[in-house]
Amino acid sequence: MFKLSVCSMGAAFFLGLSLAQGASLGLGSDPKTIKAKSSSIEAEYSRNMRAEKQGEEAKSATPKTTVPAVRPGSVAAEIRSIPGATNTYYSQNSFSYSSTLKMREDRKVGAGLSVGGTLGLAGFNMELNFEDADGVIAGFGTGPGYNSVQLAWKHAFDGDYLAPYASVGYSRWYNSRGSSNNYGSSDILDRVLTSNEKKTGQFGTDFVNTSLGLQYNQLTGDLAGLSFFGELTAMWEVKRSMLLPNGSIGAIYYF
């Protein structure tokens, strides 16, 4: 009997201790509470999964911006190399060249007028650029009592807005009509013509010319291609072997 009482008391003590530990761990909740907690956890997990899926769909729906490729060495590439150029507006109708040779490479033909020099009092020139630095000049001119033609080779040196150049060529001054003696207004003709040529008024004299010049080139904007030049020329008269200094100024437009 005593043993039964001791066992009963031990069982009661063990049961009380187990209930106390269950209460501290939260294991003594009823089924309704456990079900509510599991439902809450499941609902929160579903919301997180839906939010993550919607974020991935929004990223895939965003259009990708494709930046057009820029050819190295082009004008666009040079403009983009300028700090802050990506935020600057450039008109598609205007031009921009980084140097004189870049402009000559793009614009192969030039046409212009000159005063003085190898064509005399006034002349008209055409320039054809075979390469960015080298080209051929052909022209004709006039003056008091004579007309002129020329053919020359021109080499342009690289530069920014100002660029030097050199040319070597041939020119001929002539008068086949013989009806005027206005050649006296030209210091060059007055020095190179023979007495018979002056008397008859008919002549044709040939020059080999070498020129050094400086040219201003407009490289940007709507007036890109417009140039102004000044040059000094040494004219060698073939018939009488005379060296005559000369010079000219003028303008030319490349297109």
Side-chain angles (χ1 to χ4, degrees):
M1 189 70 179
F2 177 75
K3 291 173 65 178
L4 181 61
S5 299
V6 171
C7 290
S8 300
M9 291 177 63
F13 177 77
F14 179 75
L15 180 60
L17 182 61
S18 299
L19 292 174
Q21 290 179 352
S24 63
L25 297 175
L27 301 176
S29 302
D30 56 354
K32 292 183 179 180
T33 304
I34 294 174
K35 186 176 181 180
K37 289 182 178 181
S38 63
S39 298
S40 176
I41 294 172
E42 184 177 358
E44 184 177 359
Y45 177 77
S46 298
R47 286 195 300 270
N48 292 338
M49 291 298 293
R50 283 197 301 270
E52 184 177 354
K53 186 176 181 181
Q54 290 175 355
E56 293 178 355
E57 291 177 352
K59 289 181 180 180
S60 62
T62 302
K64 295 182 179 181
T65 303
T66 303
V67 179
V70 177
R71 179 170 56 87
S74 64
V75 175
E78 294 170 356
I79 292 176
R80 290 191 179 185
S81 66
I82 303 173
T86 54
N87 298 323
T88 306
Y89 172 77
Y90 291 90
S91 171
Q92 295 182 352
N93 296 324
S94 61
F95 298 89
S96 179
Y97 301 100
S98 60
S99 67
T100 294
L101 295 187
K102 289 289 185 181
M103 185 269 290
R104 290 173 59 88
E105 182 180 6
D106 184 59
R107 298 173 179 246
K108 298 293 187 181
V109 180
L113 301 174
S114 63
V115 176
T118 57
L119 287 175
L121 180 62
F124 173 79
N125 289 298
M126 290 290 295
E127 184 174 339
L128 178 62
N129 301 321
F130 289 111
E131 297 179 350
D132 55 357
D134 298 310
V136 173
I137 300 174
F140 60 88
T142 188
Y146 66 94
N147 295 313
S148 61
V149 295
Q150 79 157 338
L151 184 64
W153 167 81
K154 177 180 178 179
H155 178 80
F157 298 94
D158 197 11
D160 196 354
Y161 286 89
L162 284 175
Y165 68 90
S167 66
V168 176
Y170 160 83
S171 65
R172 178 175 177 82
W173 295 20
Y174 63 93
N175 183 354
S176 59
R177 295 174 298 177
S179 58
S180 174
N181 58 359
N182 290 333
Y183 58 83
S185 300
S186 170
D187 180 65
I188 290 178
L189 288 180
D190 190 45
R191 294 173 62 182
V192 301
L193 294 183
T194 64
S195 299
N196 185 55
E197 288 172 334
K198 292 180 180 180
K199 183 178 179 180
T200 62
Q202 295 182 343
F203 58 87
T205 182
D206 302 304
F207 299 94
V208 175
N209 311 304
T210 301
S211 300
L212 292 176
L214 187 63
Q215 189 165 338
Y216 170 83
N217 303 284
Q218 181 62 34
L219 302 178
T220 60
D222 296 333
L223 294 179
L226 180 62
S227 300
F228 300 93
F229 65 88
E231 66 181 29
L232 296 177
T233 303
M235 301 178 65
W236 177 261
E237 203 279 330
V238 177
K239 186 183 300 183
R240 300 186 63 179
S241 299
M242 295 181 62
L243 182 62
L244 305 168
N246 204 343
S248 67
I249 59 173
I252 187 169
Y253 180 76
Y254 296 93
F255 52 91

